[in-house]
């Protein structure tokens, strides 16, 4: 957290190195979030680019209230929402196109794992957008409900409820597919 | 495992990463955007140090506080939910003595010298008698053992440290500047520094059943000696009823010169305060077992350019060359003296023959005092942000026209100590010429 603050301070003074370090440090988490949100690799890359170009354009006046990761996660969710709205798209999930990070699982576990991951992504794509955002930001982005509530401009209780609804729906969908 | 947890874990196991080409493209676009921005050259870090080092401005700052108090300006404003930080300071200033517990964790991430230190301790501070402390250190086997204990007497400018493991003790006689620095470690000084920085309220919460209000600053100017590559997070919670601190939490991270990675991380927590406790003078008399050997560490009472030159002269007399590093401790010098046969080293070895341990300690303390002052002078130059440089690795006592050491004394002048130890004030252009001729 202190490293992030340091990097933001450096970036606010125009440090190219700080910009690179922030990108290296947060790109995977952000990309995971945005892919899960939009289900499209190319669209996710565009969102990631938008966020970092905007971050660079804001250098000198960036004020982080909580933490950098939360700030960037909030930014990428907003981008994803805008892009989806602009392109009037539904979220789909062509998992074959996505570059999954290698997981150190045994070969027999790998296929089960892939199957479950694929099914979870499909199920997440079927969630209402607000619930999907809360679930992804909390489960994948490790954001607190307080942070998510701030990001979605709702109460903490509402953020919590959305998460609960999301998990219940995912449970039903995954059970239907006999995966849990 | 519950299904909801299982689903969460499945989601956490999903990782996607952009490919290399995408990384390159995004970084190129972001860097191009950053290049278009312009940034004003500001140096906020240096401001507080420069301002507050001057006694006059300290006085002026204090006057501002008093005036603000008298006319009710926002300095005394509460943070919204209740108490003002200045109330806490005012309350702490009334306290004569207090006890506290402390834990310190330091890790160094330098791959060549990684380390992790964990210490815990107790402290007793009395404005009348001095400061008493006892620290334990966590050993690699997970056990705690007493690391240091002792007392500091600011009025006598003396500190006694007992080292049980080594069966040693030391008595350090320090200067005014150090006494000032010791004050910086006091909680009331911490509050003053939070007040001097941009800070915010953490609101109300409960610590150990006590309703508290928290305050936080992340301004690096909170540190006494601000360096460029550092981040801090200082939190203090005060009892909402008594207005006295309940807990301090201070985290710092120092970065490498490139700002690339954290090289040192520190976390200090002060807790379990007992305010306004009764104390007796006897508590501040360190008990030193008879079989412990003692050393005396002395510093010049006032560190000046003159004491610095004396220290350099003494070092050359003993070891025949200038120190490579001005912060070398006296112990390092003594080890080197044992192997040297310069006239001064021989004379010293002769003089301590037949003396008792205590007599040797005193003799060496006096003899090494000017050398110990070297590190202090160097630190003072750093703390005052004087543009300083030292070339003891390459400059010898024979280099009468070569710059051995220099520091900035004003916007247009530098003070220079040459290889033969004469000193001059020179203009920056002359200094640039001189430094061009330094031995490689």
């Amino acid at each position: 957290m202190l490293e992030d603050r340091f990097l933001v301070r450096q970036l606010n003074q125009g440090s190219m190195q700080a910009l690179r370090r922030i990108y290296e440090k947060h790109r995977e988490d952000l990309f995971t979030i945005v892919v899960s949100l939009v289900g499209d690799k190319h669209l996710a890359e565009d969102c990631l680019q938008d966020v970092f170009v905007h971050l660079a354009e804001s250098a000198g006046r960036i004020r982080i209230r909580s933490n950098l990761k939360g700030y960037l996660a909030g930014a990428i969710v907003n981008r994803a929402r805008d892009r989806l709205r602009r392109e009037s798209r539904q979220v789909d999930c062509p998992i074959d196109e996505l570059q999954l990070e290698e997981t150190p699982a045994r070969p027999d576990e790998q296929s089960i794992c892939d199957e479950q991951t694929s099914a979870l992504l499909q199920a997440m794509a079927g969630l209402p957008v607000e619930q999907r955002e809360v679930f992804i930001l909390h489960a994948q982005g490790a954001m607190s409900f307080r942070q998510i509530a701030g990001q979605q401009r709702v109460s903490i209780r509402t953020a919590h409820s959305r998460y609960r609804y999301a998990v219940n729906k995912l449970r039903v969908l995954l059970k239907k597919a006999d995966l849990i | 495992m519950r299904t909801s947890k299982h689903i969460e874990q499945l989601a956490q196991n999903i990782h996607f990463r952009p490919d290399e080409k995408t990384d390159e493209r995004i970084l190129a676009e972001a860097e191009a955007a950053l290049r278009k921005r312009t940034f004003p050259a500001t140096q906020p870090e240096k401001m507080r140090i420069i301002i507050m080092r001057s006694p006059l401005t300290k006085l002026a700052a204090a006057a501002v506080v008093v005036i603000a108090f008298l006319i009710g300006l926002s300095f005394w404003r509460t943070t919204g939910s209740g108490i003002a930080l200045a109330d806490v300071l005012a309350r702490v200033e009334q306290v004569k003595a207090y006890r506290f517990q402390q834990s310190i964790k330091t890790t160094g991430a330098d791959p060549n010298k990684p380390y992790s230190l964990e210490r815990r301790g107790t402290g007793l501070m009395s404005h009348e008698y001095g400061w008493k402390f006892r620290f334990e250190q966590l050993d690699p086997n997970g056990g705690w053992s007493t690391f240091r204990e002792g007392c500091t007497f600011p009025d006598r400018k003396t500190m006694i440290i007992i080292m049980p493991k080594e069966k040693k003790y030391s008595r350090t006689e320090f200067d005014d500047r150090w006494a000032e620095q010791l004050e910086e470690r006091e909680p009331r000084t911490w509050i003053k520094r939070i007040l001097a920085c941009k800070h915010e309220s953490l609101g109300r919460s409960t610590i150990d059943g006590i309703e508290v209000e928290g305050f936080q600053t992340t301004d690096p100017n909170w540190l006494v000696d601000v360096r460029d590559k550092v981040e801090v997070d200082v939190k203090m919670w005060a009892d909402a009823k008594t207005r006295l601190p309940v807990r301090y939490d201070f985290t710092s991270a120092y970065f490498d010169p490139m700002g690339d990675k954290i090289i040192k991380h520190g976390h200090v927590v002060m807790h379990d305060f007992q305010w306004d406790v009764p104390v007796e003078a006897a508590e501040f008399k360190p008990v030193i077992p008879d079989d412990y050997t003692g050393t005396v560490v002395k510093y010049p009472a006032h560190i000046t350019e003159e004491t610095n030159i004396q220290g350099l002269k003494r070092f050359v007399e003993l070891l025949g060359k200038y120190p490579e590093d001005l912060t070398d401790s006296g112990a390092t010098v003594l080890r080197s003296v044992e192997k040297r046969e310069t006239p001064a080293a021989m004379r010293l070895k002769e003089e301590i023959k037949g003396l008792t341990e205590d007599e040797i300690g005193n003799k060496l303390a006096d003899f090494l005092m000017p050398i110990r002052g070297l590190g202090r002078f160097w630190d003072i130059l750093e703390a005052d942000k004087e543009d300083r440089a030292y070339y003891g690795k390459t400059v010898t006592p024979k280099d009468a026209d070569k710059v051995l050491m220099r520091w900035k004394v004003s916007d247009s002048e530098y003070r220079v100590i040459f290889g033969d130890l004469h000193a001059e004030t020179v203009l920056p252009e002359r200094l640039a010429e001189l430094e061009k001729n330094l031995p490689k």
Side-chain angles (χ1 to χ4, degrees):
Chain A
M1 192 141 136
L2 287 185
E3 186 190 12
D4 281 350
R5 253 187 223 148
F6 172 76
L7 291 170
V8 170
R9 201 152 56 87
Q10 298 286 97
L11 178 60
N12 273 333
Q13 291 164 8
S15 165
M16 206 64 83
Q17 196 185 357
L19 178 67
R20 277 186 222 118
R21 177 81 188 112
I22 291 171
Y23 180 77
E24 280 160 19
K25 194 173 169 192
H26 294 288
R27 66 181 181 140
E28 273 186 36
D29 287 344
L30 294 175
F31 196 60
T32 300
I33 289 172
V34 74
V35 167
S36 302
L37 279 171
V38 302
D40 179 302
K41 179 177 175 265
H42 301 294
L43 193 53
E45 286 170 359
D46 288 347
C47 291
L48 189 65
Q49 179 168 321
D50 284 353
V51 165
F52 276 92
V53 168
H54 181 71
L55 184 76
E57 285 169 347
S58 309
R61 48 177 197 273
I62 304 166
R63 300 283 173 269
I64 307 289
R65 283 195 142 264
S66 51
N67 63 66
L68 180 60
K69 190 180 171 187
Y71 174 87
L72 292 171
I76 208 150
V77 167
N78 288 336
R79 294 285 153 172
R81 210 184 288 155
D82 289 350
R83 287 267 183 172
L84 284 173
R85 199 182 298 133
R86 202 186 311 156
E87 301 187 16
S88 304
R89 287 178 59 159
Q90 291 293 312
V91 178
D92 52 8
C93 197
I95 193 166
D96 298 343
E97 285 181 26
L98 299 169
Q99 188 177 357
L100 267 167
E101 197 175 80
E102 284 173 26
T103 46
R106 296 201 315 263
D108 54 332
E109 285 176 339
Q110 185 69 53
S111 61
I112 298 165
C113 188
D114 285 351
E115 202 180 347
Q116 282 184 328
T117 302
S118 175
L120 180 62
L121 285 166
Q122 295 287 0
M124 276 156 56
L127 291 173
V129 68
E130 293 86 1
Q131 290 175 20
R132 187 168 68 239
E133 281 179 15
V134 178
F135 178 77
I136 290 168
L137 288 176
H138 185 68
Q140 295 185 309
M143 278 173 75
S144 67
F145 287 115
R146 180 186 291 272
Q147 286 175 310
I148 296 167
Q151 204 275 326
Q152 291 197 333
R153 295 173 201 276
V154 294
S155 68
I156 298 175
R157 189 190 288 256
T158 303
H160 217 282
S161 299
R162 285 177 178 174
Y163 185 78
R164 216 172 42 245
Y165 284 126
V167 170
N168 286 341
K169 281 181 192 160
L170 291 173
R171 187 188 294 134
V172 171
L173 290 168
L174 291 172
K175 266 195 179 156
K176 229 185 237 177
D178 212 15
L179 284 165
I180 54 170
Chain B
M1 191 190 292
R2 284 177 54 208
T3 43
S4 58
K5 279 277 158 217
H6 180 59
I7 291 168
E8 248 179 45
Q9 199 144 45
L10 271 180
Q12 282 161 5
N13 289 339
I14 296 173
H15 295 284
F16 297 112
R17 62 163 177 250
D19 56 43
E20 255 178 56
K21 276 188 181 166
T22 306
D23 282 342
E24 282 168 19
R25 193 190 74 226
I26 293 175
L27 269 175
E29 292 285 332
E31 285 174 10
L34 185 61
R35 263 183 227 109
K36 285 181 195 160
R37 303 264 312 123
T38 51
F39 299 92
T42 53
Q43 289 179 305
E45 279 86 18
K46 293 182 179 179
M47 274 177 65
R48 191 183 72 90
I49 294 299
I50 293 165
I51 292 167
M52 298 304 279
R53 290 256 173 234
S54 152
L56 265 181
T57 39
K58 273 183 186 172
L59 200 62
V64 169
V65 171
V66 172
I67 292 163
F69 170 63
L70 290 174
I71 60 174
L73 284 180
S74 61
F75 179 82
W76 288 80
R77 178 190 67 205
T78 68
T79 45
S81 53
I83 63 178
L85 189 52
D87 287 341
V88 181
L89 176 60
R91 188 67 191 84
V92 171
E93 298 272 22
Q94 294 166 1
V95 171
K96 297 271 188 293
Y98 58 93
R99 293 177 197 276
F100 61 91
Q101 292 188 35
Q102 192 171 25
S103 67
I104 302 169
K105 197 169 182 182
T106 317
T107 49
D110 183 342
N112 300 320
K113 285 184 272 178
Y115 66 89
S116 176
L117 284 177
E118 209 168 332
R119 288 174 188 158
R120 66 183 186 193
T122 54
L124 168 61
M125 294 209 178
S126 157
H127 292 176
E128 192 175 356
Y129 300 115
W131 306 352
K132 185 181 175 185
F133 54 87
R134 182 172 183 274
F135 274 101
E136 292 180 324
Q137 185 163 296
L138 185 66
D139 60 43
N141 305 319
W144 291 93
S145 56
T146 303
F147 166 65
R148 296 281 186 270
E149 56 185 295
C151 288
T152 302
F153 307 102
D155 55 339
R156 280 180 266 159
K157 292 178 192 159
T158 305
M159 176 161 64
I160 292 172
I161 300 176
I162 302 167
M163 297 157 265
K165 201 175 164 190
E166 297 91 340
K167 289 199 163 191
K168 282 183 179 174
Y169 73 93
S170 69
R171 198 180 78 236
T172 305
E173 293 169 14
F174 47 82
D175 60 3
D176 292 339
R177 184 98 180 189
W178 199 0
E180 202 180 281
Q181 282 181 8
L182 282 171
E183 251 179 56
E184 296 287 347
R185 297 180 191 176
E186 267 217 75
R188 63 177 171 168
T189 315
W190 287 27
I191 302 172
K192 284 180 193 169
R193 297 204 319 250
I194 296 175
L195 270 168
C197 296
K198 191 180 171 197
H199 62 274
E200 57 187 42
S201 169
L202 294 170
R204 292 275 168 118
S205 55
T206 305
I207 295 177
D208 299 333
I210 302 166
E211 192 185 8
V212 293
E213 181 148 340
F215 302 88
Q216 180 185 28
T217 182
T218 54
D219 183 347
N221 288 307
W222 183 86
L223 290 172
V224 183
D225 294 325
V226 184
R227 291 166 200 195
D228 287 342
K229 314 286 183 199
V230 64
E231 284 296 319
V232 300
D233 186 348
V234 186
K235 297 189 192 88
M236 192 273 295
W237 290 269
D239 187 322
K241 275 187 193 156
T242 65
R243 309 288 203 250
L244 285 165
V246 170
R247 186 183 172 93
Y248 279 96
D249 195 303
F250 163 46
T251 312
S252 60
Y254 290 82
F255 294 79
D256 68 350
M258 297 299 286
D260 217 15
K261 58 181 187 295
I262 294 175
I263 51 172
K264 187 176 149 191
H265 192 274
H267 186 208
V268 179
V269 180
M270 292 172 87
H271 55 100
D272 286 305
F273 285 94
Q274 296 171 47
W275 298 96
D276 265 330
V277 290
V279 287
E280 287 179 17
E283 281 195 80
F284 293 85
K285 282 186 183 149
V287 181
I288 302 167
D290 291 341
D291 58 340
Y292 280 28
T293 54
T295 51
V296 181
V297 182
K298 287 182 183 172
Y299 291 89
H302 302 287
I303 307 285
T304 59
E305 175 190 313
E306 191 53 41
T307 60
N308 188 60
I309 290 174
Q310 283 168 12
L312 290 165
K313 192 176 169 201
R314 176 67 48 92
F315 197 99
V316 169
E317 283 169 358
L318 278 174
L319 301 176
K321 59 173 190 169
Y322 289 122
E324 290 191 5
D325 177 355
L326 288 175
T327 56
D328 259 355
S329 69
T332 315
V333 177
L334 277 182
R335 276 197 296 277
S336 306
V337 167
E338 280 174 24
K339 297 172 201 157
R340 292 286 175 145
E341 295 194 344
T342 58
M346 298 294 283
R347 202 164 48 244
L348 178 64
K349 283 187 255 188
E350 195 58 40
E351 282 175 10
I352 59 174
K353 263 185 195 167
L355 296 182
T356 65
E357 284 276 342
D358 281 351
E359 287 168 338
I360 291 174
N362 277 322
K363 177 86 190 163
L364 292 178
D366 285 338
F367 198 80
L368 291 173
M369 185 166 64
I371 293 174
R372 286 188 191 279
L374 290 173
R376 296 287 301 146
F377 187 70
W378 187 242
D379 287 346
I380 289 168
L381 294 180
E382 187 193 22
D384 287 347
K385 305 272 173 189
E386 311 295 5
D387 180 17
R388 58 176 194 170
Y390 174 70
Y391 303 105
K393 273 187 188 173
T394 51
V395 173
T396 71
K398 288 177 186 163
D399 295 321
D401 57 346
K402 302 277 190 300
V403 179
L404 172 65
M405 187 175 179
R406 55 97 163 146
W407 63 98
K408 201 172 185 177
V409 286
S410 72
D411 284 346
S412 57
E413 287 174 326
Y414 279 84
R415 191 73 179 153
V416 176
I417 297 175
F418 290 84
D420 65 352
L421 296 181
H422 83 275
E424 281 178 34
T425 302
V426 301
L427 297 173
E429 300 76 32
R430 165 103 174 103
L431 176 67
E433 282 297 313
L434 286 166
E435 289 190 331
K436 266 188 203 165
N437 297 325
L438 280 169
K440 300 289 175 207

